[in-house]
Amino acid sequence: TFFTVGQNTLGLSAVFDLTSWATQAVVTDAPGDGALFAVAHGAGRFVAAGVNASVFYSSDHVNWSRGSDANNLDVTVSGLAHNANNGRFASVGLFPLAAWSTDVAATWVNGTLTPPVSPFFSLRGLTAFGVNSFATCGESGTIRVSTDGGAN
């Protein structure tokens, strides 16, 4: 199954052949305009996130539940990834932010960006690789790598 997200808390899903996409409403109580900017799959669940660090999860991409916010700053999440080797989800976003979780329904732990960056800097895409690593891209071609599961 493939899944993508967008404005107004809508998601699109397709199974294998990608020829017929079905519209799915992810949630109805998303804050702000309900825009979702990132989606990941791992540990048997889909995870979607967006404005105000809102996180939603589903085991079947049809029935969604609200998870714990991806950070304590209420900023937009623009990237999500799951590392199957360590079981962690990680998120990045505007402001900038980085956080990780082993249970998206309960708790996200804010990561530390080292060296620190300007609050006007933003991080975009995120991918998992290796045993315990994530990589993200930011403004001006900046690439940041975490080798400790998203904590730094």
Side-chain angles (χ1 to χ4, degrees), residues 38 40 47-50 53-55 68-72 75-82 88-94 96-101 104 108-111 113 123-127 134-136 149-151:
V47 179
S54 300
V55 173
S68 175
D69 289 351
N71 61 65
N72 298 319
V75 297
T76 298
V77 173
S78 57
L80 279 172
H82 179 263
R88 286 185 177 183
F89 283 90
S91 68
V92 296
L94 310 180
L97 72 88
W100 63 270
S101 176
V104 296
W108 286 81
V109 177
N110 287 346
L113 296 174
L123 299 169
R124 301 294 177 173
L126 182 68
T127 190
F134 293 93
T136 184

Side-chain angles (χ1 to χ4, degrees), residues 82-88 128-134 146-150:
H82 179 263
N83 190 315
N85 293 309
N86 67 9
R88 286 185 177 183
F129 70 97
V131 175
N132 204 30
S133 300
F134 293 93
S146 169
T147 57
D148 61 3

